[in-house]
Amino acid sequence: MKKENIAAQMYTVCSYLKTPQDIAKSLKKVKSIGYEAVQLSGLGPIDTAELRKMMDGEGLICAATHEGMDMILNEPEKVVEKLDQLGCVYTAIPHPGGIDLANEAVVAGWIRRINEAGKVLLEGKKVLTYHNHHIEFRKLNGKTILDMIYDGTEARYLQGEIDTYWVQAGGGDPVAWCEKLKNRLPLLHLKDMCINAETKQVFTEIGQGNLDFKRIISVAEKSGCKWFIIEQDSNWCNNDPFESLKISFEYLLSLCR
């Protein structure tokens, strides 16, 4: 991993992204920390061309985006158009909102639609990925939904955006999942996990918790990961979210080649 492969997931600071003016200030602050790339998510209304101009002005690259699942499934051509405007290749389905994960037939139909959308994105020279939470570790007939998603789609149409915290929270192994998605893992969401004073699992800055990021990053690199994306859900930050991004960034720098 090199410094230029590290990106900040802007959802971390979503409370500071309500207006175009807020977004401009936040991009500037993220750049001042030392980030050279961001993942766009959690932004308030803003024209895509204006957003691209802001990023170019700060010298920031759009590593990836999160787009609404409805738009990805129903209007994938618009996703391609937006990514073109941003100079970006990767996007992700952020959450299976509205899908009945208890219904195997519904899940199977949803997975087919993901594959179809991924085909459209590939034709537009873009890459669709999937961002997991813990809920995809529910099993249907002995198989996790996350396994069903990747087994039921073609690798060329759906790649991975594994989230380390949520894999651990679901009872999975982040290292094993990085191995499992070899050559299918362009994006990795880095989130650490600790046990707080109330003995609950919570987010913490990378390097401050219990996940073995040296192993995770090493295996992810061997699996072809291109972007190591730092995220900490803003409502779980121990510090100001920009400070959390800084703490995590500085830890990752200590692991860079």
Side-chain angles (χ1 to χ4, degrees), residues 3-17:
K3 177 186 175 185
E4 57 264 32
N5 301 124
I6 301 172
Q9 164 57 301
M10 294 300 289
Y11 186 79
T12 306
V13 295
C14 61
S15 297
Y16 299 86
L17 302 175

Side-chain angles (χ1 to χ4, degrees), residues 17-23 42-48 50-51 54:
L17 302 175
K18 304 299 185 185
T19 68
Q21 294 78 14
D22 294 336
I23 294 167
L43 280 66
I46 186 170
D47 179 73
T48 303
E50 182 182 2
L51 178 59
M54 287 179 184

Side-chain angles (χ1 to χ4, degrees), residues 91-103:
T91 192
I93 295 172
H95 192 277
I99 301 300
D100 181 2
L101 297 182
N103 187 316

Side-chain angles (χ1 to χ4, degrees), residues 192 203-209 232 237-239 243-244 247-248:
D192 211 342
F203 298 104
T204 191
E205 291 81 11
I206 299 169
Q208 308 301 304
Q232 189 170 344
C237 283
N238 301 318
N239 302 285
E243 181 63 20
S244 289
I247 292 168
S248 293

